[in-house]
Amino acid sequence: MKIICIGRNYSDHIEELANEKPIDPLVFLKPDTSLVLKNQPFFIPPFSNDVHHEVEVLIRINRIGKHIQQKFSHKYYDQIGLGIDFTARDLQAKLKSKGLPWEKAKAFDGAAVVGDWIRKCELPNVDQLQFEMTKNGDVVQRASTALMLRKVDELISYVSQFFTLKIGDIIFTGTPAGVGPVSVNDVLEGFLEGHRLFSIKIK
Ligand code: ZN
């Protein structure tokens, strides 16, 4: 399976990092080795002193497809989840300044937290989902998918022009504002429409 991530998909987060709004969706990949297995802690990697949390709504692909038309995108997923795109912000800043790829800052072991899944039919419309993440009990990120610059069905159509989507692939749909550093012993919990989908300890 592969993990396809979308960057800069909420304007408030683009502003907090002083980035430019992308003309086309910004896309990067994470390998399967970046997955944090269920109930495992996240270990801060030795090469970063500034790992940030980015809570994101996740889409799980349930059939093979390429060149998917947007009007058919909804047929390619039936589960929605929540996860964290962990980012070594210090390393990413160095790579960005040199115009280099981000993988070392985004795709390292443990950089992808995937929480529990909920069937799409049990949730409101995918473009109207409320989600939030708490750090040690305090809300640090809270948003709605209604604020996405590019909505889920458009993203699926877009990425399928480049990558064949396969069963089990996961799309990270971008983070809203409120990203910030994590420290040893922090506990991050993610909620989608009130369902707690992950709880992860930082080590
Ligand atoms: Zn992200």
Side-chain angles (χ1 to χ4, degrees), residues 71-122:
K71 64 181 175 188
F72 297 128
S73 290
H74 66 97
K75 295 172 182 266
Y76 287 82
Y77 63 99
D78 59 1
Q79 294 188 93
I80 299 174
L82 201 65
I84 303 173
D85 165 21
F86 275 121
T87 304
R89 195 70 75 202
D90 43 1
L91 184 51
Q92 186 196 27
K94 263 189 220 166
L95 296 167
K96 271 165 75 174
S97 71
K98 294 180 183 163
L100 294 171
W102 295 359
E103 273 73 10
K104 284 190 285 184
K106 286 276 198 185
F108 55 85
D109 288 358
V113 174
V114 173
D116 292 331
W117 296 99
I118 302 182
R119 293 199 346 246
K120 180 169 73 175
C121 58
E122 293 169 20

Side-chain angles (χ1 to χ4, degrees), residues 6 28 54 56 85 106 174-175:
I6 307 300
F28 57 95
E54 297 190 354
E56 310 199 0
D85 165 21
K106 286 276 198 185
T175 194

